[in-house]
Amino acid sequence: MASVASGTVNTTERLAGLRQLMAQDNIQAFVVPSEDQRELTDEVGWSNADSITEALEPKASALIPVEKNLVDAVWNDRPARPQNPVIHLDEKYSGQSPSHKIRTLREELSKKKHQAFVVNMLDEVAWLFNLRGSDIDYNPVFFAYAVITHDSVNLFVEKDQLSDDALKYLGDDIKIWPYNEFFTYLKQLPFVLTLNEDMKVLIGSTASLAIAHALGKDKFDIGPSPIADLKSIKNATELEGFRQSHIRDGAALARYFAWLEEELNNGAEINESQGADQLEAFRSELDLFRGLSFDTISSAGPNGAIIHYKPDPADCAIIKKDQIYLCDSGAQFADGTTDVTRTWHFGTPTEEEKRAFTRVLQGHISIDTAVFPSGTTVIHGLVELYGRMASIIGYNSTPLKAGMTVSNEPGYYADGQFGIRIESIVLVREVNTPNNFGDKGYLGFECVTMCPIHKRLIDTGLLTVSEREWLNAYHAETWAKVSPLLKNDGRALKWLEKETSPL
């Protein structure tokens, strides 16, 4: 992003102003949180604060919360917080009403004897109330908090952001508070509820020190968010939405790669950014399209080895026929979120490139066909826990359960040469096995991404019989599901037929 940033910041002046404010409050060191548009919160996280406090104790120092953010005081030209429109997500896409979700949440709170839960994660607020916004780039969320007690539901959001339909949908049982009244509400909450040693307020492990400080010492428990677990397991409506959104997305991908191959064969000069723009244009024509889910990683040659690479429109590489092209992209739809990576070569790949690609493909097939005990944890980098029409999220040590959605994304990266990644979204499903050791139950995957895997990059001599069968079956399924959507694009239909033909 630095390459496309603009303006100059007088860091010396800002630091001088910050130190002056610190001196006024007798502060020796000020912890500046790494703020990612309030992905968690604007303040230092409670877990970080706890570890900082422990480290300071031997030095006879303490971490003291400051009511006013000193950085804000010296950031005079800070852009205003986004307040974009918030709409409600129809239950034909969400599959559950807010009242159903809140009832389930309260049941979870009762099991642990908690009087209330503070919802501080933006994607959890959006999920709980079936609301969607656009305050954060590429994420359909909005700035808000919520507090759920056993007899009240409180949503802290600027009311003007809510559409008339959203307000009507929320009804009278959900009280709308101004966003800025959240911390004032938290300070009085312990006096409203009956709290004791066994009955406290639950705050999630991602909650900020400010939230804990507002509630007061001994008034809260820290633990995993019950909403995170509830939203990670998709209901039948959501799972079907994932399937259908990926089929539609497959049509846009086929149109793009068919267009790109034809343009390159005709001698056109297409750079990485132009390719990304064309792919977005094809996606924007799809039903239920709401926007991209992240910046498209359109990367040619050595740029494919750069993780999270983003082409600069003013200065990026040309996509060449004699280089590997890696494209990692995704979209937000009303019924699901897509994230897919495919790697191509529009000329003649080297033996090294084919061998590397084939090994990545074999890893991809091994993950796709794996059968494993229920509760097996995610290995980040191979698979990644995935949200629907919300943030794309990666967790370590996340126990897998039927109904979750993850990405299967092995890769190989040769620094300065090329990058290879094959990424598909898969649904976690129950698998019947001849035996059920330990009565745990077994799980497997259902692939929903429908985009061909480039056969030109495969060293077929390295594939086993079962791996060939898997690839042919996957391509047959892709053709059957995507081709009906390409009847009005003969070029893409012909390309898809070629790319999905059996080995």
Side-chain angles (χ1 to χ4, degrees):
M1 293 294 286
S3 60
V4 294
S6 62
T8 302
V9 175
N10 191 331
T11 306
T12 301
E13 182 179 290
R14 287 185 176 179
L15 285 174
L18 179 60
R19 288 182 172 123
Q20 185 177 0
L21 293 174
M22 290 168 58
Q24 292 175 6
D25 293 322
N26 195 29
I27 297 173
Q28 283 71 49
F30 182 69
V31 179
V32 182
S34 175
E35 182 182 336
D36 185 10
Q37 299 192 80
R38 225 216 83 187
E39 179 182 356
L40 301 182
T41 63
D42 284 345
E43 300 81 19
V44 177
W46 169 257
S47 58
N48 292 332
D50 205 28
S51 60
I52 292 172
T53 299
E54 290 182 8
L56 289 174
E57 285 180 356
K59 304 180 185 300
S61 298
L63 182 67
I64 305 297
V66 179
E67 291 289 337
K68 182 179 180 181
N69 190 329
L70 301 186
V71 173
D72 287 347
V74 298
W75 193 352
N76 297 323
D77 58 347
R78 181 174 185 173
R81 175 172 54 80
Q83 296 185 29
N84 297 326
V86 175
I87 62 173
H88 90 275
L89 182 68
D90 197 290
E91 288 170 27
K92 67 181 179 181
Y93 304 125
S94 68
Q96 291 179 341
S97 66
S99 60
H100 177 90
K101 296 176 182 180
I102 291 167
R103 183 168 61 251
T104 305
L105 173 61
R106 283 172 170 159
E107 291 172 357
E108 293 299 315
L109 295 177
S110 295
K111 291 177 184 178
K112 301 294 179 66
K113 296 183 178 181
H114 288 126
Q115 291 285 66
F117 178 59
V118 178
V119 191
N120 66 287
M121 295 292 287
L122 302 187
D123 61 317
E124 294 184 5
V125 175
W127 176 86
L128 185 63
F129 296 102
N130 285 345
L131 298 176
R132 296 295 185 266
S134 59
D135 286 350
I136 308 295
D137 290 342
Y138 305 117
N139 294 274
V141 297
F142 51 95
F143 287 98
Y145 293 98
V147 178
I148 312 300
T149 72
H150 287 289
D151 55 14
S152 70
V153 180
N154 306 276
L155 174 62
F156 297 82
V157 63
E158 296 306 326
K159 195 171 184 178
D160 290 344
Q161 288 185 252
L162 298 170
S163 68
D164 291 341
D165 287 343
L167 279 171
K168 182 178 179 181
Y169 178 72
L170 292 175
D172 297 329
D173 293 335
I174 298 172
K175 184 171 182 180
I176 309 297
W177 299 74
Y179 179 80
N180 290 331
E181 290 189 17
F182 171 66
F183 286 102
T184 301
Y185 175 90
L186 284 188
K187 290 177 182 178
Q188 57 82 37
L189 185 61
F191 301 100
V192 175
L193 300 177
T194 303
L195 302 179
N196 55 49
E197 185 64 28
D198 298 322
M199 300 286 282
K200 298 182 180 181
V201 175
L202 175 65
I203 64 176
S205 54
T206 62
S208 67
L209 175 59
I211 289 176
H213 183 65
L215 287 169
K217 188 178 180 181
D218 300 326
K219 303 298 184 183
F220 60 88
D221 286 331
I222 301 282
S225 166
I227 294 180
D229 288 337
L230 293 173
K231 73 188 285 288
S232 70
I233 300 175
K234 313 306 175 191
N235 58 52
T237 299
E238 291 175 310
L239 292 174
E240 185 58 24
F242 259 93
R243 296 182 183 101
Q244 295 304 318
S245 62
H246 280 81
I247 293 172
R248 294 195 307 275
D249 202 52
L253 290 163
R255 294 185 68 192
Y256 170 60
F257 292 125
W259 169 84
L260 180 59
E261 183 176 70
E262 182 177 271
E263 290 293 303
L264 296 181
N265 286 338
N266 290 338
E269 189 174 274
I270 308 293
N271 67 35
E272 297 165 323
S273 180
Q274 290 171 329
D277 290 343
Q278 184 61 57
L279 175 54
E280 182 177 2
F282 284 132
R283 278 193 166 114
S284 68
E285 298 176 17
L286 298 173
D287 290 341
L288 307 182
F289 176 78
R290 297 292 182 266
L292 300 183
S293 53
F294 56 92
D295 279 319
T296 297
I297 302 173
S298 174
S299 51
N303 292 336
I306 302 173
I307 304 301
H308 301 307
Y309 170 79
K310 176 188 175 183
D312 182 346
D315 182 22
C316 62
I318 301 299
I319 302 172
K320 299 178 180 179
K321 290 186 64 174
D322 61 353
Q323 288 183 324
I324 280 182
Y325 174 64
L326 184 153
C327 184
D328 185 346
S329 65
Q332 300 279 6
F333 298 94
D335 57 347
T337 301
T338 67
D339 180 1
V340 52
T341 308
R342 289 296 184 264
T343 306
W344 305 91
H345 198 298
F346 300 105
T348 304
T350 66
E351 290 303 312
E352 177 189 2
E353 290 169 337
K354 292 173 65 175
R355 183 170 61 253
F357 183 90
T358 306
R359 293 310 188 193
V360 171
L361 172 59
Q362 290 174 312
H364 186 89
I365 295 172
S366 294
I367 294 171
D368 186 86
T369 57
V371 176
F372 47 91
S374 180
T376 297
T377 56
V378 167
I379 304 174
H380 184 61
L382 291 179
V383 293
E384 188 176 18
L385 192 62
Y386 203 74
R388 71 164 297 282
M389 206 184 170
S391 305
I392 295 179
I393 44 179
Y395 292 108
N396 289 323
S397 303
T398 302
L400 293 178
K401 300 176 183 177
M404 288 183 171
T405 55
V406 301
S407 64
N408 172 2
E409 50 178 299
Y412 175 84
Y413 309 98
D415 189 31
Q417 299 180 59
F418 59 84
I420 294 170
R421 183 162 62 253
I422 303 173
E423 176 187 17
S424 296
I425 300 302
V426 294
L427 312 181
V428 183
R429 60 181 179 85
E430 294 181 351
V431 174
N432 293 321
T433 57
N435 298 290
N436 184 15
F437 299 104
D439 292 324
K440 290 183 176 181
Y442 283 79
L443 303 172
F445 295 127
E446 172 194 343
C447 182
V448 293
T449 298
M450 293 291 129
C451 184
I453 295 171
H454 198 31
K455 293 178 293 182
R456 187 179 301 171
L457 274 166
I458 298 175
D459 182 343
T460 56
L462 295 177
L463 295 181
T464 65
V465 172
S466 61
E467 288 167 343
R468 280 173 171 263
E469 292 174 346
W470 180 94
L471 185 65
N472 287 337
Y474 174 72
H475 280 160
E477 181 183 9
T478 299
W479 168 259
K481 291 182 176 179
V482 177
S483 60
L485 303 182
L486 297 174
K487 293 179 180 179
N488 296 325
D489 190 330
R491 175 180 58 198
L493 189 63
K494 183 177 180 181
W495 177 89
L496 184 66
E497 183 177 20
K498 169 175 66 80
E499 293 295 333
T500 59
S501 62
L503 278 178

